[in-house]
Amino acid sequence: MMRAMPEWVADAVFYQIFPDRFARSGRVHVPGPLEAWDAPPTQHGYKGGDLFGVVERLDHLEALGVNALYLTPIFQSASNHRYHTHDYFTVDPMLGGDAAFDALIEAAHDRGMKVVLDAVLNHASRGFFPFHDVLENGEASPYFDWFHVERLPLRPYGPGEPGYACWRGIPALPKLNTENAEVNAFLISVLRHWAERGIDGWRFDTPEEIVTPGFWEAVRDAVKAVDEELYLVGEIWTDAAPWLGPRFDGTMSYWLGGHTLVYASGGAFRFEITKHEYPLVREPVDAVAFGDHVEAVMTRYTPAQQQANLSLYGSHDTARALTMLAGDREAMKLATMLLFTLPGAPCVYAGDEIGMEGLDDPGCRAGFVWDEARWDQDLLETFRALIRLRREHVATRRGRFRRLTRSGDVFAFVMEHEDETLLVATNATGEAASAALGLDGARSFGDGALVAGTLTLPARTGAVFSIAR
């Protein structure tokens, strides 16, 4: 019998934290020099953020309105991003170890905040003990079949081909053999261990790389057996419908988020700086094309799946949203309004709310700016206002999407719930625009007017209206 989606996710506002770059606490021993916090980030440098630092900054997140945290990997590793896992059962000492993890779980839960961790199951690292055993002992290693060994001797540092399958050809990331029952049992034990330690969900890295029949279904069953309310979300960049239900509760909605940025830019999106084909469209998107895309995405998912998808327009894997928008604050506000009103649990990448900029990795992974004199206070207040709007209006969280406009320069839709109906409308062009909608109501957010059923919006703005019932 299929378990329901976690009840809490529809009401969540997520905040993504890259722990090494969020905040230093000064409480964690560091074995050597760190990269200067305000220096441009590098591919391999550590800045020394830690989990105690996250605890110390929860006031900022609570004031913002956040009630769920998504942390990129925290387990012992030899990389600042920690997607190169050495020990799946140990929190990295440079992040404060298990003591800092326990402190974070307790502090977050005391504030009513959920904590979701990042799980990297497709590949490990050269420092992962079973892989090291294979390096030392070759075919005599009891872990030999844990990996896809193609030839011996292995060459993890070159020259030439490494001799084993690895993620995107990177020798530092040997691919795990999920056809091996011992490997699967190990990975499931990891997921259950941290679920029992108090986390509220898992975000799964590169799940499309694991094609072993039944693997993800077994993962879901094992984790949900610990707690049915644990949130399971996969990193799927395009159409995620096949991954939902028996596998994940939701997926990361880059498919919608990228189009949102392109539409909000009003034709000024910086396609030339994006990687991974993001934003998954390579030409300008007007109101009609954007409406078509949103409608197509919504028809792929049930209403419950829509609510459980993790909505975002940028992350540690993309250039900063404001940079992709060529620094246009009005476009950023418009995109953010859509992020918080379209179906899905919105996720803010740490620093977007204060106007941080940066190109793709490593530029998007700079140390968080804690000097408030450098914050974009106007943008920050927009984020706070939209989070308040979402908290105060159930239709934004649990309503059903219905598109209103199919022509012209206004993209408008309603979110309908048994308790209320909200009208959301945007105009990404450089001129004022209007649309006859046949609805009346009071403005709850933004600029514009709704008079006698006709909506008028100034250039590059959006508005939300509570519709009279």
Side-chain angles (χ1 to χ4, degrees):
M1 177 177 167
M2 184 61 60
R3 297 178 178 91
M5 306 297 173
E7 181 66 22
W8 61 269
V9 175
D11 299 319
V13 174
F14 280 88
Y15 192 85
Q16 184 194 350
I17 293 174
F18 190 108
D20 183 67
R21 306 297 167 81
F22 188 62
R24 289 178 185 166
S25 69
R27 299 173 57 185
V28 176
H29 172 72
V30 178
L34 296 170
E35 185 174 278
W37 191 263
D38 289 332
T42 61
Q43 200 81 40
H44 299 288
Y46 290 87
K47 291 191 179 293
D50 59 73
L51 300 188
F52 286 123
V54 177
V55 172
E56 292 172 358
R57 301 294 183 170
L58 290 179
D59 283 348
H60 169 69
L61 305 186
E62 192 168 44
L64 184 61
V66 166
N67 60 7
L69 309 180
Y70 153 44
L71 277 64
T72 54
I74 65 171
F75 306 126
Q76 189 168 356
S77 175
S79 64
N80 56 45
H81 51 74
R82 296 180 171 85
Y83 283 94
H84 298 50
T85 312
H86 283 188
D87 185 344
Y88 288 86
F89 289 101
T90 301
V91 175
D92 198 298
M94 286 183 63
L95 294 180
D98 285 9
F101 167 82
D102 290 337
L104 175 59
I105 292 294
E106 181 177 5
H109 286 175
D110 283 349
R111 295 171 184 254
M113 294 181 181
K114 306 291 188 179
V115 179
V116 172
L117 297 185
D118 210 321
V120 187
L121 307 186
N122 175 67
H123 50 268
S125 72
R126 289 180 293 220
F128 182 45
F129 176 75
F131 186 75
H132 182 74
D133 197 281
V134 175
L135 289 179
E136 294 291 334
N137 300 302
E139 289 181 278
S141 170
Y143 299 103
F144 187 80
D145 289 332
W146 280 42
F147 306 93
H148 299 271
V149 178
E150 298 160 353
R151 69 186 67 85
L152 294 172
L154 302 184
R155 300 182 183 276
Y157 296 96
E161 293 296 317
Y164 52 90
C166 39
W167 185 72
R168 294 195 177 180
I170 302 172
L173 300 173
K175 181 175 173 61
L176 290 161
N177 178 16
T178 54
E179 301 293 329
N180 184 319
E182 290 292 331
V183 171
N184 293 355
F186 170 81
L187 294 174
I188 285 175
S189 73
V190 170
L191 300 175
R192 287 179 59 92
H193 172 80
W194 294 104
E196 291 166 355
R197 289 284 300 273
I199 69 168
D200 301 290
W202 286 107
R203 176 266 192 188
F204 294 107
D205 183 62
T206 62
E208 290 174 298
E209 301 283 341
I210 298 178
V211 296
T212 302
F215 176 85
W216 290 112
E217 290 80 359
V219 163
R220 181 182 179 90
D221 287 344
V223 175
K224 294 287 188 176
V226 177
D227 183 353
E228 290 191 4
E229 284 293 289
L230 282 163
Y231 179 42
L232 305 183
V233 57
E235 182 200 12
I236 306 293
W237 287 64
T238 54
D239 180 9
W243 291 88
L244 298 173
R247 296 172 177 175
F248 305 140
D249 298 314
T251 59
M252 302 176 77
S253 59
Y254 288 106
W255 200 31
L256 179 58
H259 283 72
T260 300
L261 288 179
V262 175
Y263 164 66
S265 75
F269 187 89
R270 296 183 64 191
F271 292 101
E272 76 281 3
I273 69 169
T274 59
K275 295 191 300 187
H276 311 304
E277 297 303 314
Y278 193 65
L280 308 175
V281 58
R282 305 307 298 178
E283 58 188 17
V285 174
D286 63 14
V288 175
F290 181 61
D292 290 345
H293 181 72
V294 174
E295 197 168 44
V297 170
M298 295 306 157
T299 60
R300 294 291 292 153
Y301 309 127
T302 68
Q305 290 170 345
Q306 293 171 17
Q307 292 171 12
N309 279 334
L310 190 68
S311 296
L312 73 167
Y313 48 49
S315 71
H316 69 294
D317 281 329
T318 72
R320 284 278 182 181
L322 190 55
T323 300
M324 289 188 278
L325 293 170
D328 186 336
R329 264 65 179 170
E330 298 311 311
M332 183 76 169
K333 292 177 184 178
L334 199 59
T336 304
M337 191 188 84
L338 290 166
L339 175 72
F340 282 97
T341 54
L342 283 168
C347 183
V348 177
Y349 180 38
D352 279 355
E353 77 277 18
I354 59 170
M356 287 182 65
E357 294 202 49
L359 297 172
D360 269 303
D361 175 24
C364 56
R365 303 178 180 185
F368 192 97
V369 177
W370 287 110
D371 178 3
E372 295 188 25
R374 295 167 57 192
W375 291 5
D376 185 325
Q377 295 291 345
D378 182 49
L379 188 59
L380 177 59
E381 182 49 41
T382 297
F383 273 83
R384 287 174 173 164
L386 285 165
I387 293 173
R388 285 195 301 271
L389 177 82
R390 185 174 178 82
R391 183 171 61 244
E392 294 168 0
H393 292 279
V394 66
T396 62
R397 309 189 308 272
R398 297 173 178 272
R400 294 202 175 198
F401 168 89
R402 180 166 62 87
R403 182 183 180 185
L404 294 180
T405 53
R406 298 182 180 277
S407 62
D409 291 328
V410 172
F411 168 60
F413 61 96
V414 290
M415 294 293 291
E416 297 173 313
H417 186 268
E418 60 185 13
D419 293 333
E420 65 175 358
T421 297
L422 292 186
L423 163 66
V424 182
T426 59
N427 171 21
T429 73
E431 304 290 337
S434 61
L437 302 177
L439 299 172
D440 288 298
R443 189 172 66 234
S444 298
F445 176 86
D447 298 317
L450 186 58
V451 179
T454 297
L455 171 74
T456 303
L457 289 174
R460 306 181 59 68
T461 59
V464 180
F465 297 85
S466 295
I467 299 304
R469 298 173 75 86

